[in-house]
Amino acid sequence: MSKVLPDSVLRPITKEHPYKIVFVCLGNICRSPTAEGVFQHIVKEQGLSAYFEIDSSGTSAYHAGEKADSRSREAALKHGVELLSRSRKFETFDLDYFDLIIPMDSQNKRDIEYQSHKKEHKEKVILMREFDELANGDINVPDPYYGGAQGFENVYQMVKRSSEELLNQLKPFIQ
Ligand code: 4NP
């Protein structure tokens, strides 16, 4: 069963006030750029681009300014999704700016939560795989950086399932 979004992160979504989501991983070159690209792609397919502002970032600045890893771009492109993001570091003010902050793994989540003790911030931070119907207790999108091509395809599939569920939960709030 997927997590149901808490009331605290839900509000009417309009073109004037688009819903803002940032996906977060460590380097912002593999997992979160894939999530950004896939969510954006699904939203576009459904004609809903104007209602969302989608971004990604990393808890580290190791790869700041870089394109997504070529292996992530390849895995996404096989499914018709182009990854165009440039890596940037997650900043504390992102906790105010975004409606929803979606870390890829529990370490990313801790690194974000460490930056604020406010309840309204904590409620916005929800792990990606909470929305993956096939997670079966696995809470992390595993870091594919040091592995082979299968790891990147695996990330793509997890992120796709999770993005579809997340969008389905938000769609009823579009006005
Ligand atoms: P990501 O993968 O967090 O999914 O972007 C990584 C990319 C680079 C490194 C670690 C993870 N790194 O240590 O350079």
Side-chain angles (χ1 to χ4, degrees):
M1 266 285 284
S2 302
K3 182 186 174 81
V4 174
L5 284 169
D7 288 344
S8 57
V9 303
L10 294 169
R11 61 167 176 84
I13 304 174
T14 64
K15 288 182 180 171
E16 292 70 34
H17 197 189
Y19 197 81
K20 301 195 273 290
I21 305 175
V22 61
F23 298 99
V24 186
C25 61
L26 174 61
N28 191 212
I29 54 168
C30 298
R31 293 166 291 173
S32 61
T34 304
E36 177 187 349
V38 166
F39 195 89
Q40 195 72 264
H41 185 81
I42 296 172
V43 156
K44 194 175 175 188
E45 274 181 342
Q46 300 190 25
L48 300 173
S49 298
Y51 295 95
F52 290 93
E53 186 177 320
I54 312 300
D55 195 9
S56 66
S57 65
T59 55
S60 81
Y62 301 154
H63 297 276
E66 292 178 20
K67 284 185 184 174
D69 188 287
S70 58
R71 297 166 295 174
S72 292
R73 283 188 280 132
E74 224 166 87
L77 208 52
K78 271 190 197 155
H79 299 280
V81 178
E82 200 177 0
L83 305 187
L84 298 168
S85 68
R86 291 275 179 176
S87 177
R88 73 163 180 97
K89 189 174 181 299
F90 181 86
E91 303 287 355
T92 302
F93 55 71
D94 288 323
L95 281 159
D96 283 320
Y97 184 77
F98 288 93
D99 292 293
L100 207 50
I101 297 163
I102 309 287
M104 296 297 117
D105 68 33
S106 55
Q107 184 61 53
N108 306 147
K109 184 168 183 268
R110 280 192 293 275
D111 289 340
I112 295 163
E113 287 175 339
Y114 179 73
Q115 300 181 41
S116 170
H117 295 294
K118 291 186 186 167
K119 184 167 172 276
E120 69 262 33
H121 288 159
K122 284 209 182 305
E123 286 170 345
K124 288 181 183 182
V125 186
I126 301 174
L127 281 166
M128 187 65 160
R129 291 200 80 194
E130 297 253 30
F131 303 103
D132 181 358
E133 285 156 351
L134 300 185
N136 202 15
D138 282 345
I139 57 170
N140 297 325
V141 178
D143 186 348
Y145 191 65
Y146 295 105
Q150 187 55 42
F152 288 83
E153 173 64 19
N154 195 30
V155 165
Y156 178 88
Q157 294 297 341
M158 287 177 184
V159 156
K160 180 153 191 287
R161 288 194 300 269
S162 307
S163 294
E164 282 169 348
E165 170 62 20
L166 177 56
L167 180 59
N168 280 341
Q169 290 197 30
L170 289 169
K171 271 199 306 199
F173 295 87
I174 293 177
Q175 297 193 332

